């Protein structure tokens, strides 16, 4: 038989970690903060998509050396050849342009990635992975060790470096602009996101 858990200290400790929440009001506030954190990520994604669209419209009309890039892509990717490169290049070209624009912006804003930034990001990934299994109160030492293991993976590390660079880039862009923030319904948010 399934029954609701009792809202007591044992339950609060299981959900949020030892002594982080001590009463029902604190529990409800912590839940509210968790939900707000998740929704904030969605808002940040809309900001990133808007910023990318803006910068590509402003600077992305450049001509790339398509013939050279196509040869380079064929050499680097087993699945590409003379018969499919035109179609694939057409899909890749916006990302190639964005890469150039983004690197230029990062250089102008002096965005730098430190090892501590990578560890913090890997700890966040580790915490989310543990949370998927209901383990939300993992101590910092365990998270740090898990993060170092993530960063030691030579296949995963470059992706994490790119994610961290993107995070710091968009954070720098956000700090340099004035945002018009408003609270909207989920339907309105979906409508806004669909127009970007």
């Amino acid at each position: 038989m399934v029954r609701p858990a009792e809202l007591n200290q044992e339950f609060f400790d299981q959900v949020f970690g030892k002594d982080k929440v001590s009463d029902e009001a604190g529990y409800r506030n912590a839940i509210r903060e968790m939900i707000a954190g998740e929704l904030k990520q969605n808002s940040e994604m809309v900001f990133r998509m808007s910023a990318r669209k803006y910068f590509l419209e402003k600077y992305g009309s450049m001509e790339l050396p398509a013939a050279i890039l196509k040869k380079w892509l064929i050499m680097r990717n087993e699945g590409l050849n003379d018969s499919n490169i035109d179609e694939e290049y057409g899909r890749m070209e916006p990302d190639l342009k964005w890469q150039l624009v983004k690197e230029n912006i990062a250089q102008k804003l002096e965005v730098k990635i430190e090892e501590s930034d990578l560890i913090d990001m890997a700890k966040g990934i580790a915490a989310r992975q543990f949370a998927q299994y209901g383990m939300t109160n993992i101590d910092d030492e365990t998270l740090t060790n898990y993060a170092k293991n993530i960063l030691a993976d030579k296949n995963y590390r470059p992706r994490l470096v790119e994610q961290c660079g993107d995070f710091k880039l968009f954070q720098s862009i956000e700090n340099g602009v004035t945002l018009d923030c408003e609270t909207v319904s989920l339907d309105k948010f979906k409508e806004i996101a669909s127009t970007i």
Side-chain angles (χ1 to χ4, degrees), residues 5-60:
E6 288 184 41
L7 296 179
N8 57 28
Q9 193 60 48
E10 180 184 356
F11 176 73
F12 300 147
D13 289 349
Q14 286 177 341
V15 175
F16 291 107
K18 184 137 179 71
D19 298 326
K20 292 190 177 172
V21 172
S22 59
D23 58 20
E24 186 175 347
Y27 169 76
R28 294 196 183 285
N29 191 46
I31 294 287
R32 196 173 294 112
E33 287 176 14
M34 266 180 31
I35 293 169
E38 291 296 318
L39 294 176
K40 185 176 189 291
Q41 290 176 11
N42 294 340
S43 295
E44 287 171 357
M45 186 183 307
V46 167
F47 173 76
R48 286 177 176 207
M49 292 181 337
S50 298
R52 177 182 167 146
K53 181 179 178 184
Y54 169 82
F55 285 115
L56 280 174
E57 286 172 358
K58 189 162 179 79
Y59 303 108

Side-chain angles (χ1 to χ4, degrees), residues 178-191:
T178 302
L179 296 177
D180 293 330
C181 297
E182 66 178 289
T183 301
V184 296
S185 69
L186 182 58
D187 289 337
K188 180 67 175 172
F189 181 83
K190 288 177 183 178
E191 180 185 324

